Amino acid sequence: LTLIPGTGFSTINPSGTPGDMSESDLDLEYTSGIATGATINFVYTGNAANSGGAFYALQYAIQNKLAPIISSSYGDCEIDFSSFYPTYNAYLQQASTQGQTVISASGDAGSTDCYPNTNLSAANRTTLAVDWPASSQYVTAMGGTEYTSAAILSTNSTYFTAASGSDVIISAKSYIPEQVWNDDAPYVSSTSPGGLSSGGGGVSILTPQPSWQTGVPGIVAGSFRLVPDISLASSPNNAGYLYCSSDTATGITGSWTHGFRDATSTNLTIAGGTSFAAPIFAGMLAIINQKTNANYQGNINPTLYSLAANATTYALAFHDITSGTNACTAGTTYCAGTGPSAYAATTGYDQATGLGSIDLYNLMQAWPVFVPATGSSTTVTPTTLTPGPGASDPITFKVASASSSVTTTPTGTIALSIDGTVTTALTLIGGSATYTFTSSTLGPHVISGVYTGDMAFLTSTGTT
């Protein structure tokens, strides 16, 4: 447990914000339930009014490099987050450069990600939008699928073993066919309010299309990033996920002590959403890391899309989802006019499920084995340690091999941070880069450089 210093008292108790405990519970249970041997770091803020919440926890996990994989189930639609985007995307870039893989949920409101945000105008709430941080080029965005009705209602033994009693733990016999997760329901009355319940996806308005998002049928070259990257089952209905939580927001009392059920052993603690897909894939990636001798892989999207670009590998390691849509289908109460018509599942990549869902075993077999690179060392040398207020002080960053037997010169970039804030990327020339620092603020300043590494050298950090 990591309570971020200076954010107030812990709110990990029933008096905390409803919904936050259950969100945390499901993240912790499904990451550790998949990667059973992994160390799980739970980073959270206290109850101070300016604690910064989940996004500050994400920032803290990056700045302190707490783990090689970060799973985040919180997000905000890009229209609402645009003013914060440059600052927080720089943190995500820092995560990538120091080898951390960030995995994030793409949202549960389908192609109209802003709808749940009641602070926005009606026009913005019903327009096409995607979720941040899933839309960052430094994040693997998790979309949602659900099992087809035909599979769920199947009376034969193709997919499930017939239940001989209640609470059968293992019943799946084979891969269960999937479609796009979309359980949107129209408003009927106050007792049947309907709502949006669908995997997020679409086109970013903030992130340029990355160079790695190519090579797979269905990807259209454009100006901005497409979301999501991959998907996993996320529907609360077809079929939902069981988890334990004492959060009052679940409406279930006693699931900690009654095996997912309430105190009367009747109602199940069950939910869905891409909030489950993110921690589940984070656990899967931990297993891939272990199998392939990898640890800090950084942004894995280039690897995912490269594997999917190979038709043979794609057929083995990915389940191409070709039916369904994440368009708003809940009627005019939630949708503009007849509702945005995007996005339908198609062959190959689509903005409803990305590359599709995955076969973990086959993906793990296809994943490139990590070959350890040589360590590096980064030194940061200012011209003077005591520049005057407002004076220019050239600072030299030098990266060298940490091995006496390897004499080649590291290449790549330095992620420069000043007083804990990432500011820019410096390109190494002959193993060195220079930055001219100036500040009119009196007192000490911390200048750090994170070397991003290259094909031959590992990352390293230098600070003055």
Side-chain angles (χ1 to χ4, degrees):
L1 299 179
T2 301
L3 172 61
I4 299 177
T7 62
F9 295 105
S10 167
T11 56
I12 309 249
N13 56 58
S15 64
T17 304
D20 282 352
M21 279 186 64
S22 57
E23 191 75 32
S24 301
D25 289 335
L26 68 89
D27 278 352
L28 298 172
E29 290 169 30
Y30 275 87
T31 49
S32 62
I34 300 295
T36 55
T39 297
I40 310 297
N41 297 285
F42 178 38
V43 186
Y44 62 101
T45 59
N47 60 357
N50 60 346
S51 68
F55 290 155
Y56 186 39
L58 174 64
Q59 173 187 334
Y60 188 88
I62 293 170
Q63 290 182 308
N64 292 274
K65 199 178 180 181
L66 294 183
I69 302 171
I70 298 175
S71 174
S72 168
S73 292
Y74 286 86
D76 190 9
C77 73
E78 286 188 331
I79 294 173
D80 188 49
F81 200 77
S82 58
S83 61
F84 300 98
Y85 177 87
T87 298
Y88 276 92
N89 215 47
Y91 291 127
L92 295 173
Q93 182 183 28
Q94 178 183 349
S96 180
T97 60
Q98 60 195 30
Q100 291 177 294
T101 304
V102 182
I103 300 166
S104 185
S106 68
D108 302 338
S111 59
T112 51
D113 187 73
C114 288
Y115 187 84
N117 193 327
T118 56
N119 293 322
L120 297 175
S121 67
N124 281 335
R125 292 181 68 198
T126 56
T127 193
L128 295 174
V130 296
D131 203 70
W132 187 94
S135 65
S136 170
Q137 66 269 53
Y138 306 111
V139 170
T140 298
M142 298 301 302
T145 67
E146 64 182 326
Y147 303 128
T148 64
S149 296
I152 290 291
L153 301 175
S154 175
T155 57
N156 59 37
S157 59
T158 302
Y159 308 116
F160 301 100
T161 300
S164 57
S166 62
D167 294 350
V168 175
I169 301 301
I170 299 174
S171 62
K173 296 176 63 176
S174 66
Y175 169 69
I176 304 168
E178 299 166 276
Q179 62 187 21
V180 179
W181 167 38
N182 194 333
D183 299 331
D184 287 359
Y187 180 90
V188 177
S189 65
S190 59
T191 58
S192 181
L196 302 182
S197 179
S198 179
V203 184
S204 172
I205 59 173
L206 300 175
T207 303
Q209 188 167 32
S211 59
W212 44 257
Q213 196 163 53
T214 186
V216 180
I219 295 178
V220 178
S223 301
F224 293 94
R225 169 157 165 49
L226 308 179
V227 179
D229 297 307
I230 54 176
S231 295
L232 290 174
S234 299
S235 170
N237 302 315
N238 292 329
Y241 287 101
L242 296 175
Y243 69 111
C244 291
S245 180
S246 56
D247 193 328
T248 56
T250 66
I252 303 294
T253 302
S255 72
W256 278 121
T257 56
H258 289 75
F260 301 119
R261 294 188 181 274
D262 62 12
T264 65
S265 298
T266 303
N267 298 305
L268 288 165
T269 313
I270 190 168
T274 53
S275 290
F276 283 89
I280 288 173
F281 184 67
M284 290 178 169
L285 183 62
I287 297 173
I288 292 175
N289 285 357
Q290 182 182 23
K291 193 271 181 184
T292 58
N293 300 314
N295 192 4
Y296 283 86
Q297 291 203 66
N299 188 354
I300 63 166
N301 290 343
T303 300
L304 282 172
Y305 282 83
S306 176
L307 292 173
N310 181 303
T312 301
T313 304
Y314 185 70
L316 289 171
F318 297 83
H319 298 296
D320 188 9
I321 311 302
T322 57
S323 63
T325 173
N326 70 344
C328 181
T329 60
T332 55
T333 300
Y334 304 95
C335 313
T338 57
S341 60
Y343 297 90
T346 60
T347 300
Y349 181 90
D350 55 68
Q351 288 134 261
T353 61
L355 298 169
S357 66
I358 62 169
D359 181 307
L360 173 59
Y361 179 80
N362 287 335
L363 183 66
M364 183 169 59
Q365 299 305 313
W367 205 271
V369 175
F370 178 72
V371 178
T374 303
S376 67
S377 63
T378 298
T379 56
V380 183
T381 308
T383 301
T384 173
L385 287 170
T386 56
S392 297
D393 189 21
I395 298 177
T396 300
F397 298 81
K398 186 171 181 59
V399 183
S401 170
S403 171
S404 59
S405 61
V406 179
T407 59
T408 52
T409 301
T411 61
T413 60
I414 291 278
L416 168 67
S417 65
I418 300 175
D419 297 330
T421 300
V422 178
T423 59
T424 188
L426 307 174
T427 301
L428 292 175
I429 300 176
S432 297
T434 301
Y435 175 80
T436 300
F437 171 76
T438 181
S439 176
S440 59
T441 303
L442 298 178
H445 296 274
V446 179
I447 313 296
S448 295
V450 178
Y451 171 52
T452 60
D454 59 16
M455 296 298 291
F457 290 97
L458 298 172
T459 64
S460 58
T461 302
T463 301
T464 188

